[in-house]
Amino acid sequence: MSRTESIFGNQMKKRVIKQAGKKQQSYVRKFGDDRNVVYHLAEQENTSIGPFFGVKNIVIEQNNAKTFSPDCEKGVIVGNIRMGFGHYRISMAIASAANALGYVPYWMDLNSYSETTGGKVIRAQNDLYSLGSRISGKSRLFNHFIWEPMNYEGFRKLSYNAADQKNAELMTAVFKEVPKDMPYVATHVWPAQAAVHAGMKHVVNAIPDNWPMALHLAEGSLHTVQTHSSYLGYRVLNGMDKKKVLKPMPKEAIQYAGHYVDHELVSNIEHDCMLRVKRQQEKKPMRFLLTIGGAGAQKEIFAAIIKELLPFIKKRQAALYVNVGDYKNVWEELKSEIKALEKATIHFDDWKETCQFAADAIQGEVTGIHVFYHADIFQAVYTTNLLMRSTDVLVTKPSELSFYPIPKLFIKRVGGHERWGAIHSSEIGDGTLECRDIPHTLQMLHLFLEDRYLLESMCDNILQNKQMGIYDGAYKAVKLAVSQSGKGR
């Protein structure tokens, strides 16, 4: 029985199966079917994040590229796609943990294989999601009636997973030369499903969200989750077929892991929290990091925050980092609206300088406004990770960054599923409630600036969370993939 017809023993309706087949065929007509094509692979050094944790990119073979001949005893494949910044950031956490545990992380981005059918399918779906995300930030009606319901209930349905499973069959061609017994950790469900369909034997599906959705199911893989509540929700497939009680996932198909966080951040939690508290006690400028990813959604919220912080920055009561990722247009729009940004210190497309600034800022003094932009996607994403260590408060929507060990101010979500990231973070004490509008966001901003207790209590909670292993999810995901292959140490 195909993975479209039955999901963990729950039979799909004939109508759902037929629609899934039609959707696959529509992609075949549009993009072709290369399942019988052999794509020769090669490995390349990742010059952006490779120096940090030894990442090697798996690419379709090009002139002067090294032939793909992985060290199967030490290699761990990180399967991913670029969809916004979130899944790349989780992939970096997995790669960092793999490196820390003595393994070689191989970066396999299915979205980067643009000449393949699978790459074209992913790109088409990613473009639709990005468009929806941008519209939701501008239209309350679209957000309320279409985007929130789709992200909250639409992706939750088993029928959605059935269609995705069929589409994932078109993503398998690039796996032909990949050793099937290599440990494989996927940070998006499509690479997980594709790997299973392609015959990979040791697949871990690192589920990102805290709201259980059938979208994230890849039967045949070991699912890991970041919270205990999502474990229970996934285990019983809660609400994935309206009110129907479904057959649960088998115990061996899912495990709680904890938050997926980079080794470099986890290993320095005590030191970085100590410096945050010390800066507050010495009345140094409170450092805020605004990370504007994806397509620059929620720009108006970030603009309001920057305007509110300007007087505090002038009086050296606050300092500001702004990472616009690889979206220079977002910076131009912000600068045209906020003239004071013309005096900001610019860190644009100089990776060595950005890395040096981030390292110096951990112990050094920081004042004013610093803006970061990098055209390279790895640099664009990892700049936020580098800056986290010297940041006091991360300002972000409750996305994958909800799970990072840094005090957080949560702005309005993009998609209903994200609300549960803020709920979880506020309950374990390392982040605020979700601020659903600009006035409440600014209220929370002032609370951080005026009440030292808020930041210090979050730092205390982060230290306690670390002792409980809450931030160890990336290590555990890697260990599970390696242990399945029988190559664990």
Side-chain angles (χ1 to χ4, degrees):
M1 184 174 292
S2 77
R3 301 192 186 282
T4 298
E5 296 175 5
S6 176
I7 302 171
F8 292 111
N10 296 284
Q11 181 67 34
M12 293 295 97
K13 296 178 180 178
K14 291 182 179 180
R15 171 179 54 82
V16 171
I17 299 169
K18 185 177 181 179
Q19 287 176 342
K22 284 184 176 180
K23 186 64 177 178
Q24 185 198 67
Q25 287 305 307
S26 72
Y27 280 130
V28 169
R29 287 192 296 271
K30 189 172 184 179
F31 302 125
D33 188 345
D34 61 0
R35 281 176 283 185
N36 293 322
V37 175
V38 176
Y39 291 102
H40 298 297
L41 303 179
E43 62 184 64
Q44 290 181 344
E45 298 297 325
N46 187 307
T47 57
S48 297
I49 59 175
F52 290 98
F53 33 84
V55 173
K56 298 179 185 295
N57 294 338
I58 301 176
V59 299
I60 292 177
E61 189 172 27
Q62 299 173 350
N63 292 333
N64 300 319
K66 296 179 181 178
T67 302
F68 183 57
S69 54
D71 185 339
C72 295
E73 291 301 317
K74 294 185 178 180
V76 173
I77 296 176
V78 184
N80 58 72
I81 63 170
R82 179 191 173 178
M83 178 173 277
F85 285 0
H87 299 285
Y88 252 38
R89 196 183 313 283
I90 297 172
S91 292
M92 290 175 182
I94 299 298
S96 172
N99 179 69
L101 293 170
Y103 300 102
V104 179
Y106 290 89
W107 191 275
M108 191 175 189
D109 176 3
L110 302 191
N111 198 13
S112 70
Y113 307 136
S114 56
E115 62 266 58
T116 69
T117 300
K120 293 172 184 176
V121 169
I122 292 169
R123 185 68 55 85
Q125 294 187 79
N126 192 13
D127 287 346
L128 282 174
Y129 190 86
S130 295
L131 176 63
S133 180
R134 290 195 299 272
I135 296 174
S136 73
K138 299 176 181 178
S139 170
R140 290 184 179 181
L141 289 176
F142 178 84
N143 190 58
H144 179 75
F145 289 106
I146 299 176
W147 197 243
E148 283 261 334
M150 173 59 70
N151 277 273
Y152 201 60
E153 292 295 342
F155 294 157
R156 192 182 182 190
K157 298 176 181 177
L158 275 185
S159 57
Y160 192 95
N161 182 262
D164 265 5
Q165 287 280 8
K166 204 67 180 171
N167 292 338
E169 294 175 3
L170 300 176
M171 305 174 190
T172 58
V174 290
F175 287 88
K176 285 187 173 66
E177 292 190 345
V178 178
K180 299 303 182 287
D181 62 346
M182 279 192 73
Y184 181 101
V185 181
T187 60
H188 188 283
V189 69
W190 296 339
Q193 292 170 345
V196 171
H197 283 295
M200 297 296 290
K201 298 176 182 178
H202 313 296
V203 180
V204 167
N205 176 24
I207 293 176
D209 292 317
N210 195 31
W211 172 243
M213 297 186 289
L215 162 72
H216 292 304
L217 298 175
E219 188 172 3
S221 69
L222 171 59
H223 301 70
T224 59
V225 292
Q226 298 188 86
T227 70
H228 293 289
S229 61
S230 60
Y231 173 89
L232 289 172
Y234 276 105
R235 185 73 194 279
V236 300
L237 306 179
N238 187 48
M240 295 184 187
D241 192 358
K242 298 181 180 179
K243 295 182 179 180
K244 183 178 179 180
V245 177
L246 298 169
K247 294 180 180 178
M249 293 176 66
K251 180 180 179 181
E252 60 272 15
I254 184 169
Q255 282 201 31
Y256 164 79
H259 299 186
Y260 313 127
V261 182
D262 311 61
H263 168 74
E264 290 74 20
L265 293 171
V266 177
S267 62
N268 286 293
I269 281 177
E270 292 86 354
H271 180 260
D272 295 344
C273 282
M274 179 270 292
L275 290 178
R276 291 182 184 114
V277 173
K278 183 180 179 183
R279 284 193 290 267
Q280 294 310 294
Q281 293 172 342
E282 296 177 353
K283 297 185 178 180
K284 297 288 180 66
M286 180 173 283
R287 304 171 181 184
F288 293 87
L289 168 58
L290 310 188
T291 176
I292 307 174
Q298 303 174 300
K299 181 177 62 67
E300 73 284 355
I301 301 177
F302 288 111
I305 293 169
I306 294 170
K307 291 176 183 177
E308 194 74 14
L309 280 175
L310 287 176
F312 296 95
I313 294 170
K314 187 175 182 180
K315 292 183 289 187
R316 296 202 171 189
Q317 295 173 349
L320 179 62
Y321 302 147
V322 181
N323 181 22
V324 297
D326 58 350
Y327 290 90
K328 188 178 283 189
N329 63 299
V330 174
W331 161 244
E332 296 298 337
E333 292 169 7
L334 283 172
K335 189 173 62 171
S336 66
E337 182 175 342
I338 307 170
K339 298 304 180 184
L341 289 178
E342 294 178 356
K343 298 180 179 179
T345 302
I346 304 302
H347 308 264
F348 279 16
D349 265 338
D350 188 338
W351 185 231
K352 183 177 179 180
E353 189 274 336
T354 293
C355 294
Q356 190 61 55
F357 173 88
D360 292 344
I362 295 171
Q363 297 277 7
E365 300 291 325
V366 176
T367 59
I369 302 173
H370 297 264
V371 183
F372 301 84
Y373 159 83
H374 295 86
D376 179 278
I377 179 59
F378 292 99
Q379 296 171 12
V381 176
Y382 201 60
T383 292
T384 292
N385 295 47
L386 290 175
L387 294 172
M388 274 190 224
R389 290 200 54 201
S390 68
T391 296
D392 294 321
V393 181
L394 172 65
V395 181
T396 178
K397 66 188 181 76
S399 57
E400 85 289 347
L401 286 169
S402 306
F403 301 94
Y404 277 73
I406 177 175
K408 295 172 288 286
L409 192 168
F410 291 119
I411 63 173
K412 180 183 177 183
R413 64 182 180 260
V414 178
H417 62 295
E418 289 186 346
R419 78 169 68 173
W420 294 93
I423 290 171
H424 172 70
S425 178
S426 65
E427 288 181 339
I428 66 172
D430 65 3
T432 69
L433 301 169
E434 178 191 356
C435 300
R436 295 294 307 279
D437 54 34
I438 289 175
H440 284 92
T441 301
L442 300 183
Q443 178 195 44
M444 195 68 74
L445 190 72
H446 280 273
L447 199 57
F448 272 108
L449 287 163
E450 297 163 7
D451 185 352
R452 191 170 68 189
Y453 168 78
L454 186 58
L455 183 133
E456 291 184 358
S457 65
M458 286 188 182
C459 286
D460 288 341
N461 292 331
I462 289 169
L463 294 174
Q464 293 179 35
N465 294 340
K466 183 184 179 182
Q467 292 178 354
M468 293 186 287
I470 285 177
Y471 304 119
D472 289 347
Y475 303 116
K476 291 181 181 177
V478 172
K479 289 178 180 177
L480 286 167
V482 172
S483 65
Q484 285 187 72
S485 68
K487 298 170 184 174
R489 300 175 185 172

